[in-house]
Amino acid sequence: MSRLAGRSPDPLEILARYPREQVERLLRIPNERLHRDVAEIAELAKPSSLFVHTGSPEDREYVRRRALERREELPSKHPKHTVHFDGPRDLARDKANTRILVAGGREVPLVNTLDRDAGLREVAKLLEGVMEGREMLVAFYLYGPLGSPFTLYGVQITDSAYVVHSEDILYRNGYSAFAERGGGIEYMLFVHATGALDENGWCREVEKRRVYIDPEGNATYSVNTQYAGNTVGLKKLALRLAVYKGFREGWLAEHMFIVGVKGPGGRISYFTGAFPAGCGKTATAMIADTVVGDDLALVRELEGEARAVNPEVGMFGIIDDVNPEDDPEIYRVLTDPEAEVIFSNVLLTEEGDVWWRGKPGEPRKGLNYAGPWWPGKLDEQGREIPPSHPNARFTVSVRHLAKLDPRIDDPLGVPVSAFVFGGRDSTAWPPVEEAFDWDHGIATKGAALESERTAAVLGKVGEVEFNPFAILDFLPISPGAFAELHFRFARRLRKVPKVFGVNYFLRGRDGKYLAEKRDKRVWLKWMELRVHGDVDAVETPTGRVPVYEDLRQLFDRELGKEFSERLYEEMFAVRIPQQLAKLERVLAIYERIPDSPPLLLEILREQGKRLKELRAERGDWVSPFALDKR
Ligand code: SPV
Ligand code: MN
């Protein structure tokens, strides 16, 4: 059976058109389905040559060289640092044209779907002859550590050496595993074609950009785009396939970091954390004591414990505002000439320097995401073009991080003590709060996650966007179903992780942020102590917050900072009208989703009741001192 509507000719006949050495590399993997997939895409896209990546150092070098030869990447003054530009109309994930293919075109709440047959027909058409005159690259990756029960397998087919170069940095190579396991491997297939380019090397037909996810076929297709979030299969395309698989099998694929936090006596506790964009996810990962991952987590039950692995070994991080004071570790890695880095959509100066907003020094004449750039350059509307784009990024291996957790490659992952959810919330959530139990946390922290729009995004500043589990953009199933999966998941656990909500963006009565950037470390350390029952907490209608004295000591010990009772009171007061407003917004959404679990609705409603009772008793804002029963 062919994947994309059409006939299914003899794969060997098609492959025979390509160099024997490359075909033999493919045939060394004894998996007929794979041979058919590669042949089918070749037959459709008609590349003039084929490269099959074995993961050898020579092949890695070949991919890097091809990216430079094809000018998908440009050299900088450091041989290991290259620069990629996506083009001004292709700088981010394309939400509107990213669709989940669903048989019969059935609607899924809050998910952008498309009839599967129609979608496959459309991409088949877009792929026709799209690689003519180009080389098709086939590469194999592991989505997780080698030899691990968590690990999924991926095959990338693309005509972009930049995509494969990125994957070589971000994922473990899987060619040997494929060759050894052969026919037994069930793999995710990622097909990408860059499409027609203009004279700048940017996609010419971005209006025909399509990113289609086919969970039923365990495959994804993207065309007419270069931005890594649309093209690098193992990044966010795989995440959707993994969520779908996990939903069926009872495990979690999450848009979460994994970090280690040290506690008394040298113990280490692992947390996973979900934050919508711009809410401090990477910053939290970097301020923790060890880093397992900064973006993705696969979480499974093993012998009654929740355990997590990072399917990646690299970071595709936002570089905007990365500076030596706030992000010393990332800054050090990005300026280390020995670290292999792909910079995207930064400024490449005529001297071959890379510059982005936040890097010390002044930007100088060069090339950026919109072409040649000079200080003061204006766009067609007369607005100044910034030297680097707000979504400029870096691609680098985590192995350069000094804080890399030694268990990054552990096939059994790390035990998860806590799930942390954080949004940008000026008004309601306290800086840190523990849920009463797993279900309460899943309902009122994970499923209820929202984030305020910042000035950088269209729409009213301060308006809130619903982003459950920080994964809404990547869900192939309804948020109700994803919440239900979390409830179901914990029923199999003997040791259930704690759940926390954090909020770095709470403002005081004067409108100013109450917490400083580095305070994150205190919240992490407090959560670590709570995981082990080492400190008490104050019960509020929405969860448990720190006792003043514990925070005072932590601020002193971790940051050498005084922490006043007045600040504590303003940070941790129960802000009842704001909490209720939030709850009602979220409840209204889940009430409209047919498959919202009744348990979720019940927990949200009960929280509303508790808040109203407290308001009747004590008014709108209730001091944590008033609730401290000890
Ligand atoms: C995100 O937007 O959450 C990212 C970058 O991590 S992307 O790969 O574009 O999704
Ligand atoms: Mn992400």
Side-chain angles (χ1 to χ4, degrees), residues 93 235-236 255 281 294-296 393 474:
R93 284 186 278 109
K235 188 93 205 156
K236 294 313 199 317
H255 189 210
K281 184 180 180 186
D294 78 318
D295 196 39
L296 302 175
R393 289 187 175 252
F474 313 111

Side-chain angles (χ1 to χ4, degrees), residues 454-494:
T454 56
V457 183
L458 287 179
K460 236 166 85 193
V461 172
E463 218 170 76
V464 285
E465 274 176 342
F466 173 66
N467 193 353
F469 304 91
I471 206 173
L472 185 63
D473 285 356
F474 313 111
L475 279 186
I477 57 173
S478 113
F482 197 57
E484 182 277 325
L485 169 63
H486 284 77
F487 292 142
R488 175 162 36 112
F489 176 72
R491 302 296 177 263
R492 293 165 52 177
L493 300 177
R494 188 169 34 76

Side-chain angles (χ1 to χ4, degrees), residues 81-100:
H81 295 182
T82 57
V83 178
H84 166 82
F85 293 113
D86 290 304
R89 297 188 295 158
D90 195 21
L91 283 159
R93 284 186 278 109
D94 180 355
K95 287 197 208 183
N97 288 305
T98 300
R99 291 165 180 268
I100 308 291

Side-chain angles (χ1 to χ4, degrees), residues 371-428:
W373 183 89
W374 54 90
K377 183 183 180 189
L378 305 178
D379 67 11
E380 279 150 24
Q381 281 82 43
R383 286 171 308 210
E384 205 161 302
I385 299 178
S388 60
H389 192 270
N391 198 29
R393 289 187 175 252
F394 60 85
T395 301
V396 74
S397 167
V398 291
R399 309 221 185 255
H400 298 294
L401 293 175
K403 283 186 179 179
L404 182 67
D405 193 279
R407 293 161 86 173
I408 175 84
D409 296 312
D410 193 325
L412 300 180
V414 295
V416 185
S417 302
F419 278 51
V420 182
F421 296 99
R424 177 182 285 266
D425 172 359
S426 305
T427 64

